[in-house]
Amino acid sequence: MSKITIPAIVRGRESHRRAASGPALGPLGVNIGGIIDEINKKTGPFAGLKVPVKVVVDKDTKKFEIEVGSPSTGELLKKELGVEKGRKGGPDDPKTVGDLKLASVVKVARMKAGSSLTRSVKNGVNEVLGSCVSLG
């Protein structure tokens, strides 16, 4: 039983057949449409965000599993702020891109708790605040 893992980063609920993983899935003989539908279903809560996804395909039985990761901290912060891009750091670029409330920072820290190495919400909040500095 040999399994192949195909990693990809897709926008939540917006994956399509021409996605980056399409050429990797084609030679395996699996139902690409079924995989795309399953990815869209599982990434539904993260609509519009870039989400890491792993497609694990069993070459013998052609069955697949979808593993959905957590969006990056930067993506979650941009969603909370309602901005499309963060600060680039050039002379024409603003110093800040938004004003984030502490409740939103705690919310993002709790969302990242499963994939973070921190042991408490307080440390998770500090981690998110470090990403805020980079984002602007």
Side-chain angles (χ1 to χ4, degrees):
M1 200 164 78
S2 61
K3 292 187 177 186
I4 294 180
T5 303
I6 300 167
I9 295 181
V10 298
R11 286 208 175 268
R13 209 186 303 160
E14 296 177 13
S15 184
H16 48 78
R17 292 176 195 265
R18 292 174 300 202
S21 58
L25 292 170
L28 298 175
V30 294
N31 180 3
I32 297 175
I35 291 175
I36 298 300
D37 291 341
E38 188 71 22
I39 289 173
N40 287 337
K41 209 180 298 179
K42 288 195 173 189
T43 60
F46 305 115
L49 296 176
K50 292 180 185 174
V51 182
V53 173
K54 289 182 184 176
V55 181
V56 181
V57 179
D58 185 349
K59 287 174 67 174
D60 300 330
T61 63
K62 308 293 185 208
K63 296 195 182 216
F64 61 89
E65 300 171 16
I66 309 292
E67 298 173 6
V68 178
S70 174
S72 71
T73 305
E75 286 290 321
L76 294 171
L77 289 171
K78 287 189 282 187
K79 181 181 178 187
E80 288 294 317
L81 285 171
V83 297
E84 200 166 307
K85 292 185 177 181
R87 183 173 62 93
K88 294 180 187 170
D92 299 335
D93 214 24
K95 292 281 185 191
T96 59
V97 293
D99 185 21
L100 195 63
K101 305 292 182 213
L102 187 59
S104 297
V105 174
V106 172
K107 177 181 170 186
V108 170
R110 289 181 195 266
M111 290 172 80
K112 293 294 290 182
S115 62
S116 178
L117 298 175
T118 60
R119 294 181 184 216
S120 68
V121 175
K122 179 182 175 185
N123 291 338
V125 166
N126 286 335
E127 190 176 272
V128 172
L129 289 173
S131 295
C132 288
V133 171
S134 300
L135 196 60

